[in-house]
Amino acid sequence: MTLRTGHIGLNVTDLDRSLAFYRDVLGFAVLGEGKEEGRRFAFLGEGPAPVLTLWQQAEGAYDSGRAGLHHLALEAESIERVRSYEEALRAYGASFQYDGVVAHREGAASGGIFFHDPDGTRLEIYAPSGAEEAPAPSEAAPTCGFF
């Protein structure tokens, strides 16, 4: 048996704010929520299985200089769908690393958008193909590695 990712858990500073972002902007359904003071959490997904869990346990914003999560990549079915997420994220006022869709590396068919959630966690939405004409921020290095 090969291991695969079940779900990703993120610590957040404000569950209500993060829920609004992941639910309303990215379209995740809330599968379950804990509202007890000091134990707030939400399970988010599509269908019965959670994809992402949010835990209100952080006291400060994401710190890319610490060991742990580098970024969270989410796959969309098409580059057009990636662009629709980009539009929703821009309307929300999300902070982007690059301007528009970029290729994963020079000449790659895959690519996407790179942005931050309300706590500064680095996120990527990509499609496995359709980014052939998109620029690559670096010729030699993978785009997502230097986010």
Side-chain angles (χ1 to χ4, degrees):
M1 181 174 131
T2 301
L3 292 175
R4 62 182 177 87
T5 303
H7 67 272
I8 303 295
L10 295 178
N11 282 342
V12 299
T13 58
D14 181 331
L15 185 62
D16 293 328
R17 179 180 69 172
S18 292
L19 264 176
F21 177 79
Y22 286 98
R23 180 192 59 222
D24 302 342
V25 180
L26 297 185
F28 283 103
V30 178
L31 305 179
E33 190 174 352
K35 298 182 180 187
E36 180 184 338
E37 190 59 39
R39 296 184 183 273
R40 297 203 56 216
F41 64 88
F43 292 169
L44 306 175
E46 184 179 2
V51 172
L52 186 64
T53 58
L54 304 176
W55 306 93
Q56 186 170 299
Q57 297 178 355
E59 293 183 17
Y62 173 81
D63 182 353
S64 63
R66 299 185 61 158
L69 180 72
H70 181 274
H71 75 285
L72 173 59
L74 303 165
E75 184 178 332
E77 65 274 6
S78 69
I79 207 70
E80 291 76 26
R81 187 69 179 119
V82 172
R83 287 192 174 100
S84 69
Y85 281 113
E86 177 187 9
E87 189 176 307
L89 288 159
R90 289 200 186 281
Y92 172 81
S95 166
F96 284 80
Q97 181 71 20
Y98 307 109
D99 187 31
V101 171
V102 295
H104 277 139
R105 66 181 181 289
E106 194 70 32
S110 63
I113 54 175
F114 296 81
F115 58 98
H116 301 89
D117 81 355
D119 283 312
T121 301
R122 298 183 295 196
L123 299 167
E124 167 187 0
I125 297 178
Y126 74 95
S129 63
E132 293 86 353
E133 303 301 318
S138 171
E139 289 182 32
T143 301
C144 60
F146 298 93
F147 186 176

